[in-house]
Amino acid sequence: EPVSSNVARTMKAIRSPNSSAVLGAAHRGGYEQDKVDFAPENSIENILNCHRRGYDLYETDIQRSKDGHFVIIHDKTIDRETNGVGEVRDMTLTELKHLRKRFRDGSLSSARIATFEEFLIHGKGHTVFKADLKPGLSAHFKELIELVKKLDAFDTVIFRVPYNAVSLFAQHRADGLTWPRSTVMFRVKDRKQLDNVIETFNPSVIHIDVS
């Protein structure tokens, strides 16, 4: 099938209030066979692998480097995922790009830390990213939206944000920042939070933690 059809089907399910579709998300791109696939977690190499395996969504993570670049890495530190040490926020993009990513068994791959922009470019047309905004990123949401607009990639990403950022996002909107209803997915844990998000933003998608 055309590579774009999976994106269209996924976004239609997300945007439709009557959809009964069940979508599968690959955690950090799906990396249970990362060494066989030559594709460690949260790597550019894993984008095509995620599509080839038939996942609807690529669950990923965004952090910000010391010099203001958005990078794709899960942990607060780079210790587990790369051959470096330290926190992402304390390193420049150049320093991060010199590192190599590790496979699950700890051995080094040839993959490098990717930027969010690289993810949008390489995933456009065949991958929908469910991107978690790590702590502190909600304050830089305007920059993220401007990047998505520049690349015409609103069909490529859904940002998952914590409920404690509701007031900040309401302020973003009051300041004139706009985004499609399916672009932001708040993470809630109870009915009160759920109702507040619906009333405030009328989103087309919400993350609900259940126990």
Side-chain angles (χ1 to χ4, degrees):
E1 64 179 346
V3 291
S4 60
S5 64
N6 181 58
V7 169
R9 185 173 60 249
T10 297
M11 295 310 296
K12 181 180 179 180
I14 289 170
R15 290 168 175 162
S16 172
N18 300 315
S19 175
S20 60
V22 175
L23 304 176
H27 191 216
R28 302 178 209 164
Y31 56 100
E32 68 280 359
Q33 299 184 54
D34 61 352
K35 206 162 188 178
V36 174
D37 297 327
F38 300 103
E41 66 176 87
N42 273 340
S43 64
I44 289 176
E45 289 79 359
N46 215 12
I47 295 175
L48 185 59
N49 180 54
C50 176
H51 171 69
R52 186 175 63 247
R53 290 183 178 275
Y55 291 108
D56 302 294
L57 297 161
Y58 186 128
E59 186 277 331
T60 190
D61 312 272
I62 304 176
Q63 297 198 55
R64 194 169 184 266
S65 68
K66 181 180 180 180
D67 51 347
H69 292 274
F70 298 109
V71 293
I72 304 296
I73 195 162
H74 178 269
D75 298 359
K76 184 177 181 181
T77 72
I78 58 173
D79 302 23
R80 178 185 64 83
E81 296 174 60
T82 76
N83 59 332
V85 294
E87 294 190 14
V88 177
R89 65 182 183 180
D90 294 330
M91 304 185 73
T92 65
L93 180 62
T94 299
E95 291 171 329
L96 292 168
K97 279 292 190 181
H98 279 307
L99 304 173
R100 291 166 60 190
K101 292 184 67 70
R102 295 187 185 277
F103 291 116
R104 292 180 68 187
D105 66 4
S107 59
L108 288 176
S109 74
S110 59
R112 305 286 176 169
I113 291 176
T115 64
F116 177 52
E117 182 171 6
E118 289 170 335
F119 256 48
L120 292 180
I121 292 171
H122 285 272
K124 190 173 182 179
H126 58 74
T127 304
V128 179
F129 299 107
K130 182 178 74 67
D132 285 358
L133 299 188
K134 292 301 186 179
L137 264 291
S138 293
H140 301 284
F141 188 66
K142 181 179 180 180
E143 298 167 59
L144 287 167
I145 285 296
E146 288 175 348
L147 179 57
V148 176
K149 284 181 178 178
K150 182 184 78 171
L151 298 175
D152 188 24
F154 278 114
D155 279 350
T156 302
V157 63
I158 301 167
F159 295 108
R160 184 173 72 170
V161 301
Y163 178 77
N164 62 17
V166 163
S167 296
L168 179 56
F169 274 76
Q171 185 60 52
H172 284 322
R173 190 175 59 180
D175 291 339
L177 186 64
T178 60
W179 56 86
R181 290 175 58 224
S182 58
T183 300
V184 173
M185 176 171 64
F186 284 100
R187 183 174 185 171
V188 304
K189 65 179 181 180
D190 57 39
R191 186 55 186 261
K192 182 179 179 181
Q193 292 182 355
L194 175 65
D195 289 344
N196 184 32
V197 165
I198 292 173
E199 181 179 352
T200 306
F201 298 100
N202 188 30
S204 60
V205 60
I206 299 174
H207 174 118
I208 304 174
D209 284 332
V210 296
S211 61

